[in-house]
Every structure is written in C-alpha cells, then in structure tokens.
Amino acid sequence: MAGRFPHHYSFRSEWDLGASASEVFDVLADLGSYPAWWPQVRSIRQVAEDAAELVCRSVLPYDLVFRASHERKDKAAGELRARLTGDLDGYAGWTIEPRGHGTRLVFTQGVEVTKPLLRRLGLIARPALLVNHELMMRQGRRGLRTLLAPPS
C-alpha cells in the first residue's frame, strides 16, 4: 500500500436533507440527472443500462473521465454503490437513511487516481486534490438540496 499512497484517496461525507429517503434514492440512482444538480459533473453519457461515463471538473484545470457501473442498487436498504473505472479506479457509494422529517445521506469513496498527469504529480498535488474534492462535495450537497427543496 505504501507505493500507492500518493494515488489512493478515501472520502466520507454526510449530508442532511429535508427530502424523503425515497426521493433522495431516486435522484441518486439516476446517473443521468447528476449534471442537472451537481455543477462539477459536466457531462454523462449512458453506456449501458446501469453504467455511464462521467466527466467531472471542479476548480483545478483538469477533467476526470470515468465509468460508473452500479454494483448495488437496493432502495429498501437505502444503498447505492458503483464501481468506478477510468481516471479513477475504485468505488463510490451512498447510504440513504430516514432521519426525522428528512434523510441522512452518507457518501463513501475509495479510489486510486490513474490519470497520468495526476500520478506524476503524486504527493505534490495531493493537498490540492483534497481541497478540490471538498469543494465539489459542498457544491453537490447544495445542488441536491436545491433540487429536492419543496416549491415555495
């Protein structure tokens, strides 16, 4: 694992939303909807029934292109998990739990960066990549809250 350290990332984010767990699950399960609410998901191209190619870009001047393929899609259990391949290799998952009058959403991700430029930069780029990811998650949470907010 020591040789992979500069290229391996693990993330966890928790979001509280005012929508029902069912509504949240439906939005998150629809990969094609992500660009409508998550600004850093620049485009999505459906490549199979449960797989899509995503292009993501946050503050740093590079795109990450990867395929997300559903491995688990269980609405009753509130679990979504996708295998990621391409510029990122690993997984991303959502756990969706009812909480009071809303939902607690937990995002977990474990990936290895395979994009050649980012691998070459290794430890030097790591702090910037971590900040970039945090900004992307903050915007995603804001976009999902806005999408799921009741009409005023």
Side-chain angles (χ1 to χ4, degrees):
M1 182 76 169
R4 291 178 50 200
F5 169 75
H7 312 298
H8 189 265
Y9 295 84
S10 294
F11 299 104
R12 179 183 169 92
S13 298
E14 295 184 15
W15 302 352
D16 289 313
L17 303 167
S20 73
S22 177
E23 290 174 287
V24 172
F25 184 94
D26 290 344
V27 170
L28 295 176
D30 178 13
L31 292 173
S33 76
Y34 281 50
W37 57 270
W38 203 333
Q40 290 76 20
V41 179
R42 301 299 173 102
S43 68
I44 292 203
R45 182 175 60 91
Q46 203 73 32
V47 294
E49 184 178 336
D50 274 341
E53 181 181 84
L54 289 81
V55 177
C56 296
R57 182 180 213 164
S58 190
V59 176
L60 296 177
Y62 63 84
D63 290 340
L64 289 175
V65 181
F66 57 92
R67 180 179 284 205
S69 306
H70 282 297
E71 291 182 327
R72 182 161 170 78
K73 196 172 174 180
D74 186 336
K75 189 170 186 173
E79 294 179 6
L80 287 165
R81 184 177 165 111
R83 171 89 173 101
L84 308 179
T85 55
D87 289 342
L88 301 176
D89 187 35
Y91 74 89
W94 300 99
T95 303
I96 302 132
E97 304 169 346
R99 169 130 335 153
H101 294 291
T103 300
R104 165 62 56 99
L105 181 58
V106 179
F107 172 82
T108 55
Q109 184 178 41
V111 293
E112 183 171 350
V113 174
T114 62
K115 189 173 184 85
L117 172 64
L118 299 179
R119 289 185 70 83
R120 281 194 300 278
L121 295 175
L123 287 173
I124 296 167
R126 190 172 184 81
L129 293 173
L130 293 171
V131 168
N132 196 59
H133 183 269
E134 178 58 33
L135 292 171
M136 181 174 175
M137 295 306 291
R138 197 174 299 158
Q139 290 293 317
R141 180 179 60 222
R142 184 177 299 138
L144 189 56
R145 279 184 178 154
T146 300
L147 177 74
L148 294 169
S152 46

